[in-house]
Amino acid sequence: MPQLNRLAWIVTVGICVITALIMLISGYTGYAGVTLAVAVAAVINLF
């Protein structure tokens, strides 16, 4: 079960990073920053 939890956090981080990149390309810098902050918070749960 711990491996499934870790996989879920990795997927969450990946989705947040991809979303932030799309927002940056679209010009939504503020929202991209918030999404990156969420990704960083999710990375903390991997350790």
Side-chain angles (χ1 to χ4, degrees):
M1 196 63 137
Q3 296 234 340
L4 186 59
N5 290 339
R6 186 170 177 83
L7 178 64
W9 283 115
I10 291 170
V11 170
T12 302
V13 170
I15 290 171
C16 286
V17 169
I18 291 169
T19 303
L21 288 174
I22 292 170
M23 286 187 201
L24 277 173
I25 291 169
S26 299
Y28 295 104
T29 55
Y31 291 119
V34 171
T35 306
L36 283 176
V38 171
V40 169
V43 167
I44 291 171
N45 289 313
L46 291 173
F47 300 107

